[in-house]
Amino acid sequence: MTRTASPSILSHIVNRWSPYAFDGSAVPQEDLDVIFEAAGLAASAFNYQPWRFAYAHKGDANFEAFLSALVPFNQNWAKDAGVLVYVVSDEFMRSDKGNNPNHSHSFDAGAAWANAALQALSMGYRTHGMSGIDFAKAAEVLNVPEGFRVEMAFVIGKQGDVSQLSEMLQKREVISDRKPVSEIAFAGPFA
């Protein structure tokens, strides 16, 4: 399974996709630290770096609680990943001059997630991002401070065998197409 793209595009960008099948193997903390370091190298407005990552390794004291904040559909397959991560962003730029709204906190956190996904791929892992979350429950489980927002969750792990998935998910375990550039980029204002 591969995507077709310009040969000028970095192979990790072309080859990144989101499988449902994970094999349940552990992700060593040293590898996870490298993935988070790569995430932290993302660009952000005023270099504020509003992203935070709350994570749980499969089998640790927090994994089941973190898993319970996903919608049931995502719990069903995410349980087999090595790590479950929530991306949280700071809605304000906090300084000794006060708290100013940060218009790009979500955008910046998304850039950090993209870095994490690409770094994980380069290390032989797969990731799958999710917005199928009970956001209120996630904020409670994660003990998210006021002024921070749960953005999304993602899992990291080694890709598993598609046969472990339900028949419905087996059919979805494919690399998805992308819209052509002509549909996503245009010169001038929206028509």
Side-chain angles (χ1 to χ4, degrees):
M1 296 187 287
T2 60
R3 284 191 175 119
T4 302
S6 165
S8 298
I9 297 174
L10 296 172
S11 63
H12 281 70
I13 294 172
V14 176
N15 295 325
R16 190 227 47 87
W17 69 286
S18 302
Y20 291 100
F22 289 88
D23 73 0
S25 63
V27 176
Q29 187 64 46
E30 305 80 49
D31 289 355
L32 192 57
D33 289 344
V34 170
I35 292 166
F36 288 140
E37 183 177 357
L41 291 171
S44 65
F46 299 98
N47 194 32
Y48 188 68
Q49 304 169 46
W51 47 76
R52 304 293 184 274
F53 301 99
Y55 65 92
H57 289 270
K58 182 175 178 63
D60 77 11
N62 295 307
F63 191 82
E64 290 302 320
F66 278 33
L67 192 65
S68 74
L70 299 176
V71 298
F73 173 83
N74 286 335
Q75 289 178 33
N76 184 48
W77 59 267
K79 69 185 182 334
D80 295 321
V83 177
L84 173 56
V85 182
Y86 283 88
V87 181
V88 177
S89 66
D90 189 345
E91 298 177 291
F92 297 93
M93 289 190 185
R94 301 162 197 275
S95 72
D96 55 355
K97 297 176 181 139
N99 296 341
N100 295 309
N102 182 355
H103 177 77
S104 66
H105 66 94
S106 292
F107 183 81
D108 295 345
W113 139 247
N115 276 13
L118 294 172
Q119 181 63 42
L121 180 61
S122 78
M123 297 169 70
Y125 297 104
R126 290 291 181 174
T127 56
H128 190 126
M130 299 165 274
S131 61
I133 299 168
D134 178 335
F135 286 93
K137 183 172 184 177
E140 182 181 318
V141 166
L142 301 172
N143 196 29
V144 174
E146 188 173 336
F148 286 76
R149 173 185 149 131
V150 177
E151 298 291 347
M152 55 95 72
F154 67 97
V155 292
I156 306 169
K158 295 288 186 176
Q159 191 169 350
D161 191 310
V162 69
S163 66
Q164 76 192 50
L165 299 173
S166 68
E167 188 176 319
M168 185 266 298
L169 281 180
Q170 286 182 30
K171 291 177 184 173
R172 294 178 70 173
E173 188 77 337
V174 295
I175 297 174
S176 56
D177 290 331
R178 290 297 187 249
K179 295 176 182 176
V181 171
S182 62
E183 289 185 27
I184 64 170
F186 42 91
F190 280 81

